[in-house]
Short mmCIF file of all heavy atoms in Angstrom, two decimals:
data_model
loop_
_atom_site.label_atom_id
_atom_site.label_comp_id
_atom_site.label_asym_id
_atom_site.label_seq_id
_atom_site.Cartn_x
_atom_site.Cartn_y
_atom_site.Cartn_z
N SER B 67 120.86 111.81 94.77
CA SER B 67 121.44 111.48 96.09
C SER B 67 121.02 112.54 97.08
O SER B 67 120.65 113.65 96.66
CB SER B 67 122.96 111.34 96.02
OG SER B 67 123.53 112.58 95.76
N GLY B 68 121.11 112.22 98.32
CA GLY B 68 120.74 113.19 99.33
C GLY B 68 119.23 113.29 99.52
O GLY B 68 118.66 112.44 100.16
N THR B 69 118.63 114.31 98.99
CA THR B 69 117.17 114.49 99.16
C THR B 69 116.39 114.53 97.85
O THR B 69 115.15 114.57 97.89
CB THR B 69 116.88 115.79 99.93
OG1 THR B 69 117.36 116.91 99.15
CG2 THR B 69 117.52 115.79 101.30
N TYR B 70 117.06 114.49 96.71
CA TYR B 70 116.40 114.65 95.42
C TYR B 70 116.76 113.51 94.50
O TYR B 70 117.95 113.25 94.24
CB TYR B 70 116.76 116.01 94.82
CG TYR B 70 116.09 116.27 93.50
CD1 TYR B 70 114.74 116.69 93.45
CD2 TYR B 70 116.78 116.12 92.30
CE1 TYR B 70 114.15 116.95 92.25
CE2 TYR B 70 116.16 116.36 91.09
CZ TYR B 70 114.84 116.78 91.08
OH TYR B 70 114.24 117.01 89.84
N PHE B 71 115.71 112.85 93.97
CA PHE B 71 115.91 111.69 93.11
C PHE B 71 114.96 111.75 91.91
O PHE B 71 113.87 112.34 92.01
CB PHE B 71 115.66 110.40 93.91
CG PHE B 71 116.50 110.32 95.13
CD1 PHE B 71 116.12 110.89 96.32
CD2 PHE B 71 117.73 109.61 95.06
CE1 PHE B 71 116.92 110.79 97.46
CE2 PHE B 71 118.53 109.55 96.19
CZ PHE B 71 118.10 110.13 97.38
N THR B 72 115.39 111.13 90.82
CA THR B 72 114.51 111.05 89.66
C THR B 72 114.50 109.66 89.09
O THR B 72 115.50 108.92 89.18
CB THR B 72 114.93 112.03 88.53
OG1 THR B 72 116.26 111.68 88.16
CG2 THR B 72 114.87 113.47 89.03
N LEU B 73 113.40 109.29 88.50
CA LEU B 73 113.24 108.08 87.72
C LEU B 73 112.85 108.53 86.32
O LEU B 73 111.87 109.23 86.12
CB LEU B 73 112.17 107.18 88.30
CG LEU B 73 111.81 105.95 87.43
CD1 LEU B 73 112.93 104.93 87.43
CD2 LEU B 73 110.52 105.29 87.99
N THR B 74 113.62 108.10 85.34
CA THR B 74 113.30 108.42 83.95
C THR B 74 112.97 107.19 83.18
O THR B 74 113.66 106.16 83.27
CB THR B 74 114.48 109.16 83.27
OG1 THR B 74 114.74 110.38 83.96
CG2 THR B 74 114.20 109.46 81.80
N ILE B 75 111.89 107.26 82.44
CA ILE B 75 111.53 106.19 81.54
C ILE B 75 111.64 106.74 80.11
O ILE B 75 110.90 107.70 79.74
CB ILE B 75 110.10 105.67 81.76
CG1 ILE B 75 109.83 105.44 83.26
CG2 ILE B 75 109.88 104.39 80.98
CD1 ILE B 75 108.39 105.15 83.58
N SER B 76 112.57 106.24 79.37
CA SER B 76 112.74 106.77 78.00
C SER B 76 111.92 105.84 77.08
O SER B 76 111.90 104.63 77.29
CB SER B 76 114.22 106.74 77.59
OG SER B 76 114.67 105.42 77.63
N SER B 77 111.26 106.44 76.14
CA SER B 77 110.45 105.69 75.19
C SER B 77 109.46 104.75 75.88
O SER B 77 109.60 103.53 75.89
CB SER B 77 111.34 104.90 74.23
OG SER B 77 110.59 104.33 73.20
N LEU B 78 108.43 105.34 76.47
CA LEU B 78 107.37 104.58 77.20
C LEU B 78 106.84 103.50 76.34
O LEU B 78 106.49 103.70 75.14
CB LEU B 78 106.27 105.55 77.62
CG LEU B 78 106.36 106.20 78.99
CD1 LEU B 78 105.29 107.32 79.06
CD2 LEU B 78 106.20 105.21 80.11
N GLN B 79 106.66 102.35 76.92
CA GLN B 79 106.03 101.19 76.27
C GLN B 79 104.66 100.95 76.92
O GLN B 79 104.43 101.36 78.08
CB GLN B 79 106.92 99.99 76.42
CG GLN B 79 108.25 100.12 75.70
CD GLN B 79 108.10 100.41 74.24
OE1 GLN B 79 107.57 99.62 73.49
NE2 GLN B 79 108.59 101.59 73.77
N PRO B 80 103.76 100.24 76.20
CA PRO B 80 102.41 100.07 76.78
C PRO B 80 102.46 99.40 78.14
O PRO B 80 101.59 99.71 79.00
CB PRO B 80 101.76 99.10 75.71
CG PRO B 80 102.47 99.45 74.45
CD PRO B 80 103.88 99.75 74.82
N GLU B 81 103.41 98.52 78.38
CA GLU B 81 103.49 97.85 79.68
C GLU B 81 104.01 98.71 80.82
O GLU B 81 104.03 98.29 81.98
CB GLU B 81 104.34 96.57 79.59
CG GLU B 81 105.76 96.82 79.16
CD GLU B 81 105.98 96.70 77.65
OE1 GLU B 81 105.04 97.04 76.88
OE2 GLU B 81 107.11 96.31 77.24
N ASP B 82 104.43 99.93 80.49
CA ASP B 82 104.98 100.85 81.52
C ASP B 82 103.91 101.66 82.23
O ASP B 82 104.22 102.38 83.21
CB ASP B 82 106.02 101.77 80.90
CG ASP B 82 107.19 101.06 80.27
OD1 ASP B 82 107.43 99.90 80.69
OD2 ASP B 82 107.83 101.62 79.39
N PHE B 83 102.69 101.61 81.71
CA PHE B 83 101.65 102.39 82.38
C PHE B 83 101.24 101.73 83.64
O PHE B 83 100.75 100.60 83.69
CB PHE B 83 100.45 102.59 81.37
CG PHE B 83 100.85 103.45 80.21
CD1 PHE B 83 101.24 102.86 79.02
CD2 PHE B 83 100.86 104.82 80.30
CE1 PHE B 83 101.65 103.61 77.95
CE2 PHE B 83 101.23 105.60 79.23
CZ PHE B 83 101.62 105.03 78.06
N ALA B 84 101.53 102.46 84.77
CA ALA B 84 101.48 101.86 86.10
C ALA B 84 101.66 103.00 87.11
O ALA B 84 101.79 104.15 86.72
CB ALA B 84 102.57 100.82 86.25
N THR B 85 101.70 102.61 88.37
CA THR B 85 102.03 103.57 89.42
C THR B 85 103.42 103.28 89.93
O THR B 85 103.82 102.11 90.08
CB THR B 85 101.02 103.46 90.59
OG1 THR B 85 99.69 103.77 90.11
CG2 THR B 85 101.36 104.45 91.70
N TYR B 86 104.21 104.32 90.12
CA TYR B 86 105.58 104.19 90.55
C TYR B 86 105.77 104.79 91.94
O TYR B 86 105.30 105.92 92.21
CB TYR B 86 106.49 104.93 89.57
CG TYR B 86 106.48 104.21 88.19
CD1 TYR B 86 105.50 104.51 87.27
CD2 TYR B 86 107.42 103.24 87.87
CE1 TYR B 86 105.41 103.80 86.08
CE2 TYR B 86 107.38 102.58 86.66
CZ TYR B 86 106.36 102.87 85.79
OH TYR B 86 106.31 102.18 84.58
N TYR B 87 106.43 104.03 92.79
CA TYR B 87 106.69 104.44 94.17
C TYR B 87 108.16 104.49 94.45
O TYR B 87 108.92 103.63 94.04
CB TYR B 87 106.10 103.45 95.17
CG TYR B 87 104.60 103.37 95.18
CD1 TYR B 87 103.91 102.43 94.41
CD2 TYR B 87 103.82 104.24 95.98
CE1 TYR B 87 102.54 102.29 94.43
CE2 TYR B 87 102.44 104.16 95.97
CZ TYR B 87 101.81 103.20 95.22
OH TYR B 87 100.42 103.14 95.23
N CYS B 88 108.58 105.56 95.13
CA CYS B 88 109.95 105.59 95.68
C CYS B 88 109.87 105.13 97.14
O CYS B 88 108.82 105.23 97.79
CB CYS B 88 110.59 106.94 95.53
SG CYS B 88 109.76 108.31 96.41
N GLN B 89 111.02 104.66 97.67
CA GLN B 89 111.06 104.15 99.04
C GLN B 89 112.47 104.39 99.58
O GLN B 89 113.44 104.10 98.88
CB GLN B 89 110.74 102.66 99.06
CG GLN B 89 110.90 101.94 100.40
CD GLN B 89 112.05 100.96 100.42
OE1 GLN B 89 112.34 100.33 99.42
NE2 GLN B 89 112.67 100.79 101.59
N GLN B 90 112.53 104.90 100.80
CA GLN B 90 113.85 105.11 101.40
C GLN B 90 114.18 103.91 102.29
O GLN B 90 113.33 103.40 103.04
CB GLN B 90 113.92 106.42 102.19
CG GLN B 90 113.02 106.56 103.42
CD GLN B 90 113.59 105.94 104.68
OE1 GLN B 90 114.77 105.63 104.77
NE2 GLN B 90 112.74 105.73 105.70
N SER B 91 115.41 103.46 102.19
CA SER B 91 115.89 102.37 103.04
C SER B 91 117.05 102.86 103.87
O SER B 91 117.88 102.07 104.33
CB SER B 91 116.33 101.17 102.14
OG SER B 91 117.28 101.59 101.19
N TYR B 92 117.13 104.13 104.13
CA TYR B 92 118.21 104.72 104.95
C TYR B 92 118.05 104.42 106.39
O TYR B 92 119.01 104.07 107.08
CB TYR B 92 118.23 106.26 104.70
CG TYR B 92 119.36 106.99 105.37
CD1 TYR B 92 120.63 106.92 104.91
CD2 TYR B 92 119.10 107.76 106.49
CE1 TYR B 92 121.67 107.63 105.50
CE2 TYR B 92 120.12 108.49 107.12
CZ TYR B 92 121.41 108.42 106.61
OH TYR B 92 122.43 109.12 107.23
N ASN B 93 116.83 104.57 106.89
CA ASN B 93 116.52 104.35 108.32
C ASN B 93 115.13 103.79 108.49
O ASN B 93 114.16 104.32 107.90
CB ASN B 93 116.57 105.68 109.05
CG ASN B 93 117.86 105.90 109.81
OD1 ASN B 93 118.64 104.92 110.04
ND2 ASN B 93 118.12 107.10 110.17
N PRO B 94 114.98 102.75 109.34
CA PRO B 94 113.63 102.37 109.67
C PRO B 94 112.92 103.46 110.51
O PRO B 94 113.63 104.19 111.23
CB PRO B 94 113.79 101.11 110.52
CG PRO B 94 115.22 100.67 110.30
CD PRO B 94 115.99 101.91 109.94
N PRO B 95 111.65 103.68 110.43
CA PRO B 95 110.73 102.91 109.56
C PRO B 95 110.89 103.25 108.11
O PRO B 95 110.97 104.44 107.74
CB PRO B 95 109.35 103.30 110.04
CG PRO B 95 109.57 104.70 110.62
CD PRO B 95 110.91 104.70 111.17
N PHE B 96 111.03 102.23 107.29
CA PHE B 96 111.17 102.45 105.85
C PHE B 96 109.88 103.07 105.33
O PHE B 96 108.77 102.63 105.69
CB PHE B 96 111.47 101.13 105.14
CG PHE B 96 112.70 100.45 105.66
CD1 PHE B 96 112.69 99.13 106.06
CD2 PHE B 96 113.91 101.15 105.80
CE1 PHE B 96 113.82 98.51 106.55
CE2 PHE B 96 115.04 100.54 106.26
CZ PHE B 96 115.03 99.22 106.67
N THR B 97 109.96 104.09 104.55
CA THR B 97 108.81 104.82 104.09
C THR B 97 108.79 104.92 102.61
O THR B 97 109.83 104.98 101.92
CB THR B 97 108.75 106.22 104.74
OG1 THR B 97 110.06 106.82 104.64
CG2 THR B 97 108.36 106.14 106.21
N PHE B 98 107.54 104.95 102.09
CA PHE B 98 107.31 105.06 100.65
C PHE B 98 106.74 106.42 100.32
O PHE B 98 106.05 107.05 101.14
CB PHE B 98 106.30 104.00 100.22
CG PHE B 98 106.79 102.59 100.33
CD1 PHE B 98 106.69 101.89 101.52
CD2 PHE B 98 107.26 101.92 99.19
CE1 PHE B 98 107.16 100.58 101.61
CE2 PHE B 98 107.69 100.59 99.27
CZ PHE B 98 107.64 99.93 100.50
#
Side-chain angles (χ1 to χ4, degrees):
Chain B
S67 66
T69 62
Y70 181 78
F71 302 87
T72 61
L73 171 70
T74 298
I75 313 171
S76 61
S77 189
L78 270 170
Q79 298 301 299
E81 60 268 30
D82 300 337
F83 294 95
T85 299
Y86 294 85
Y87 294 95
C88 61
Q89 174 247 330
Q90 65 83 15
S91 56
Y92 183 75
N93 260 342
F96 303 129
T97 46
F98 292 83

